[in-house]
């Protein structure tokens, strides 16, 4: 039996933060040798909120460099840009026509982001999860490693695939594979540094709320120094009254590579004054090699472009096959 196929993506908006890294990319890297992997830059998704055309291309290359800097290995992984493969938008259109509107209206991310856009909510924001379903279903992915916030979109993807299979397929021969989300218990929801009840997010107006992968040691030092804590002495996981404490210990656990039991024991009698420098040090050291590799990769833009071109060729072959199958079952005339 061949390897299972894994697919996931990140939007090239803002800089990547620890939530993106610990909730998604680091898990892709760790498991990549077990799977056949496709990781892409979700640039079509990036324009569902206001964006700056001056920066979109640069942010796309920067994200590709970060993927590689974090350790994605081209021997196991194909990296490509979503907008380079037009099958994504084409399948999204076909899926639009079988997706009930009220499935999209109940998406939590839509409701949250629509609130921010006020009167100017664009259709792309509503339709975003159908494009995401197309991203995944085109590759007949088995597994989709993501953070907790994407769970609902994954469920919708499965529902859309099941509906297409039911309406146009044979019972024993599904057209589209139903993917499974891969959400690790630890790191699936990294919280803001200024409010432990909100997730760390690129769109939070406060820079203090997140650690970016490309933050300098000084920035990391200052953010941790000023991050929200509580007046209790002794640090512990899982106390619902202490969300910041749980979040900071989780960051320490993930970035030090220690077990939960070891961190629990190590920090049980600590105060914040002792813990914060420890966490700062671990973060700086964990991110240092990524930042060094990133700087090196960004000095060779041609090499980066070549990686994305090869990725596009490999991914497009699979995407086109699935798209053709779907068009066939929907009854489209094939071009001669
Ligand atoms: P995006 O760009 O918002 O986030 C990329 C990945 O980071 C995870 N993540 C987090 N994990 C833990 N804690 C956090 N605070 C945190 N913030 C973000 C996200 O869950 C995600 O895994 N719609 C997707 C991109 C996308 C996609 C796809 C993903 C488009 N098509 C197909 C998988 C498959 C998004 O906006 O991710």
């Amino acid at each position: 039996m061949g390897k299972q196929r894994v697919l996931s993506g990140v939007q090239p908006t803002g800089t990547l933060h620890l939530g993106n890294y610990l909730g998604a990319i680091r898990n892709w890297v760790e498991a990549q040798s077990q799977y056949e992997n496709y990781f892409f830059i979700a640039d079509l998704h990036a324009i569902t909120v206001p964006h700056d055309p001056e920066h979109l291309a640069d942010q796309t290359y920067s994200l590709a460099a970060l993927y590689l800097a974090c350790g994605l290995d081209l021997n196991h992984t194909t990296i490509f840009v979503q907008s380079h493969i037009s099958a994504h938008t084409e399948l999204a259109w076909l899926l639009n026509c079988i997706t009930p509107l009220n499935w999209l209206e109940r998406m939590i991310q839509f409701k949250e982001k629509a609130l921010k856009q006020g009167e100017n909510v664009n259709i792309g924001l509503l339709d975003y999860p159908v494009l995401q379903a197309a991203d995944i279903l085109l590759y007949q992915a088995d597994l989709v490693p993501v953070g907790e916030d994407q769970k609902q979109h994954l469920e919708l993807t499965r529902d859309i695939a099941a509906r297409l299979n039911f309406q146009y397929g044979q019972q024993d021969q599904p057209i589209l594979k139903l993917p499974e989300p891969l959400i690790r218990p630890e790191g699936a929801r990294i919280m803001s540094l200024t409010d432990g009840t909100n997730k760390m997010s690129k769109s939070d107006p406060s820079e203090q709320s997140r650690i970016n992968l490309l933050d300098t040691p000084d920035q990391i030092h200052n953010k941790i120094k000023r991050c929200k804590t509580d007046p209790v002495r002794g640090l512990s996981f899982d106390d619902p009254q202490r969300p910041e404490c749980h979040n900071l210990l989780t960051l320490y656990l993930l970035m030090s590579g220690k077990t939960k039991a070891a961190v629990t024991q190590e920090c049980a009698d600590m105060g914040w004054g002792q813990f914060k420098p420890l966490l700062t040090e671990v973060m700086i050291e964990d991110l240092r090699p990524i930042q060094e590799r990133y700087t090196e990769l960004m000095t060779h833009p041609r090499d980066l472009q070549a990686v994305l071109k090869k990725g596009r060729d490999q991914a497009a072959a699979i995407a086109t096959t699935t798209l053709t199958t779907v068009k066939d079952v929907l009854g489209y005339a094939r071009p001669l």
Side-chain angles (χ1 to χ4, degrees), residues 153-169:
H153 290 162
L154 263 291
E155 282 159 8
L156 182 88
T157 300
R158 290 171 59 90
D159 288 346
I160 293 175
R163 193 167 166 99
L164 186 110
N165 289 342
F166 177 74
Q167 288 185 353
Y168 299 100

Side-chain angles (χ1 to χ4, degrees), residues 11 19-20 45 128 132 135 146-147 149-150 187-188 190 200 202:
Q11 294 189 55
N20 302 130
H45 282 88
Y128 172 120
Q132 181 159 350
D135 299 336
V146 283
D149 61 348
Q150 295 300 317
I190 298 295
M200 187 177 284
K202 291 175 194 161

Side-chain angles (χ1 to χ4, degrees), residues 119-139:
E119 305 243 306
N120 277 325
V121 178
N122 64 56
I123 293 181
L125 193 65
L126 178 71
D127 202 24
Y128 172 120
V130 180
L131 179 60
Q132 181 159 350
D135 299 336
I136 298 167
L137 300 174
L138 269 181
Y139 297 90

